[in-house]
Amino acid sequence: MNYTELAELLFPDVTATPADMEAKFPQRDLPEGAFVTRIGPSPTGFIHLGNLYNAIIGERLAHQSGGVFYLRIEDTDDKRRVDGAVETILNAMDYFGVHFDEGATADGDSGSYGPYRQSERKAIYHVFAKQLVQEGKAYPCFLTAEEVDAIRAQQTANKEDPGIYGKYAEKSRSLTIEQISANIAAGLPYVLRYKAAPTGKTICVEDAIRGKLEMPENGMDFVLLKSDGIPTYHFAHVIDDHLMRSTHVIRGEEWISSLPMHVELFKVFGWTQPVYCHTATLMKLDEGSKRKLSKRKDPELALAYYQQEGICREAVWEFLLTILNSNYEEWRIADPVSSYLDFPYSLGKMSHSGALVDLDKMRSIAKDVISRMTAQEVFDNWKEWCETYAPDQAALIAKYPERTLAALNIGRGVPKPRRDLETWKQACDFMAFYYDETFADIAADPMPEEADEATRKTFFQMYLDRYDHADDSAVWFDKVKAITAELGFAVKPKDYKKNPDQFKGSIVHITNMLRIALTGHANAPDIWEVSHVLGEDITRARLSKWA
Ligand code: GLU
């Protein structure tokens, strides 16, 4: 067989050479030790936590080393492609503060190693496909779907490995150039297969997360180009990561089984293999046992979930960093103030057994993160989230900016800041009492039973009579204590505990009445501070309803 003739027959339009490609995408001029990493999501419209997990690793490695982190859209599967999916990816990554140095953008590309959408790289793949044909390392295969199915059935019956190899490849491998030419002229569809030449050896790959991976070498005539000329993941991965000069390939462990094909292609092209980093699958605890997160059962797998719930980006990052690097929590305890971006992330500290996604833990981290923010930071982040996800709330924030900021400032900036904000969505509920517009809709906690209706009325009347908005918090509290005693309630809760018969209740019940009247909740921030955030008019109006 004259392979040059075959290559011309299959790729008549390809005039560029591999050398042209090497020249067009030269080695990157980066400092020694700089990482070039990427994510390669498929635009299926569903972007998940695993995408962010891998993105964080790539982003950290690249940006900690003065390297490059880029976005490549792996859209070779036409059936799964969804309109607007690239925007969804960009929007999610932006929400989580993952920044690309180059790659696909909403309406094009940025960077000189593109195009960054695989669907636009067909001409590039064909240059290398042609090279392989020319070298006798790839061939067209005209097997129909039915024939492939029949082969699989036979292999299953014989308990053999599935796939096209050895004797199953003979029919296609032995076609003459005349037969191939006639088939093409007749319009028969074909795929381009790699011509495997197994020697029975094993391959050994040093995975940066898992250590040594030993596996049998590739023995399959796997598909390089599908019948529409679009590459498979395997072929595209090798060409793209070579030409885009990736130094590290961070991807899910589900790709380990196809590693022999990738190793083989790097070898036949004579290219340096990138360092592989196969990450652990995200798991959750379900009734005591670990299982994979499922798209169907677990809303928390979708990144959209975190956006919709308003779990702030720092919390998601910090949570993922705790499962990514075993020393993250220790670092955070020792240094509660620095940004998570100051943590020295390392591949060596990665775990390779399933990474456990624990939402309670993430929410608890979120409380810590928000409690460390200044009121202005909380204000800005919450407002930004509301503008997309809760426009009514955004309008209230815009209408009452000073009140909102003052409310957010309560219990903040002290050694043990309040931890009552957890997500931006929950902040809308938590903050509802600060606005008359939403206060009305709060299902208020019941007033304490220790004060019967008459006592309650008397209490609110006495409180309003003596209330002076100008009182400082100490004077104010003395007045509350005086009323408490006059009404027969214990000023010290422990006195009431000791002698419940001598009192109607304690100061706890008195202050609870105030909290419920002012906020709807028995559990609320400091009453004096809340009153001053609300202002005298609103405070009096809310209390008068009970007097
Ligand atoms: N498109 C592949 C995926 O979504 C990317 C794998 C890789 O990063 O190489 O799983």
Side-chain angles (χ1 to χ4, degrees), residues 38-44 48 51 54 72-76 80 118 233 237 241 249-252 254-255 262 276 278:
R38 84 297 188 277
I39 53 166
S42 299
T44 59
H48 55 83
N51 293 118
N54 288 343
R72 180 168 73 226
I73 299 297
E74 305 212 329
D75 54 355
T76 54
R80 297 174 64 211
Q118 289 182 330
Y233 168 79
H237 148 54
D241 282 309
V249 166
I250 297 136
R251 62 183 184 187
E254 66 276 16
W255 294 108
H262 310 151
Y276 285 99
H278 288 100

Side-chain angles (χ1 to χ4, degrees), residues 172 190 456 466 514 540:
S172 307
Y190 67 92
R456 200 193 304 147
R466 298 186 202 178
L514 284 173
R540 284 192 178 276

